[in-house]
Amino acid sequence: FTLNVRVLSKDWNKTKTLVKRSDILFQKKNKYIAKYRNKAQSIIDSHFFNDKPLTINLFTKEFTNENQDSTDFFKFIYNELEQKSYAKETLRMYKGNISKIKKFRNKIDITDIDLKFLHEYKKYMIEVLNNKPITWNRSLAFIKI
């Protein structure tokens, strides 16, 4: 991936893959490079530690933020469902949970999901939907996925 950082070949350390001190903006350029190196490593680590397969196409999407153009919860969750293959019944249950959350709030920013949101959603499931503890517990667990 190109970061569009311009460096003269005499100012580039191939071994360390860093800009040499001879470039007047070496610190700024190296910080910029480090930022994206860390982002790439974070994507790799996330997939590794969560036992999720990582293809070059998926890496590219995550690295270039194609699948995170907003913090819309529903866009995020639908994208997550597309990334993995689920059993038919599991997918049906997940879509049912999404539908229930949409009835509670039809627009949710990921940053809106906090303890207060979870308490309000639980209260909605108990008081409005008359859900039993097993049902609202599973619905709350779905959000954690």
Side-chain angles (χ1 to χ4, degrees):
F1 293 97
T2 180
L3 300 179
N4 294 317
V5 175
R6 300 209 185 272
V7 180
L8 298 174
S9 59
K10 71 176 183 72
D11 295 327
W12 182 248
N13 184 327
K14 289 181 185 179
T15 309
K16 294 182 180 179
T17 62
L18 292 172
V19 180
K20 294 178 183 177
R21 291 179 176 267
S22 54
D23 184 306
I24 193 162
L25 296 173
F26 81 97
Q27 285 181 316
K28 184 176 182 179
K29 290 177 182 180
N30 284 336
K31 283 182 183 181
Y32 187 76
I33 292 166
K35 173 184 173 183
Y36 285 98
R37 181 178 286 136
N38 291 338
K39 181 177 181 178
Q41 191 60 55
S42 177
I43 292 166
I44 293 165
D45 290 348
S46 173
H47 283 263
F48 176 79
F49 290 116
N50 292 308
D51 292 324
K52 296 189 317 187
L54 181 61
T55 64
I56 190 66
N57 290 335
L58 183 55
F59 178 85
T60 301
K61 282 183 180 181
E62 290 187 35
F63 189 79
T64 59
N65 292 326
E66 285 181 30
N67 61 342
Q68 297 182 15
D69 58 346
S70 74
T71 56
D72 180 87
F73 172 76
F74 296 109
K75 280 185 184 179
F76 172 79
I77 203 73
Y78 282 122
N79 183 57
E80 287 295 307
L81 292 179
E82 287 176 12
Q83 299 300 323
K84 292 183 180 178
S85 56
Y86 293 97
K88 190 176 182 180
E89 187 59 27
T90 301
L91 197 55
R92 186 190 70 75
M93 181 187 68
Y94 286 174
K95 288 182 177 181
N97 274 303
I98 293 168
S99 177
K100 188 191 308 192
I101 296 168
K102 276 188 174 182
K103 288 176 186 171
F104 172 63
R105 276 201 201 142
N106 64 354
K107 176 142 178 49
I108 303 170
D109 192 87
I110 290 175
T111 59
D112 293 337
I113 300 175
D114 57 9
L115 201 53
K116 181 181 178 204
F117 172 87
L118 295 173
H119 285 299
E120 290 171 356
Y121 183 48
K122 178 181 171 183
K123 184 177 177 182
Y124 166 79
M125 288 188 286
I126 293 169
E127 295 177 3
V128 177
L129 302 178
N130 295 316
N131 287 163
K132 303 287 184 221
I134 188 79
T135 305
W136 57 257
N137 268 316
R138 286 185 180 158
S139 295
L140 291 173
F142 168 77
I143 294 174
K144 288 196 294 187
I145 296 171

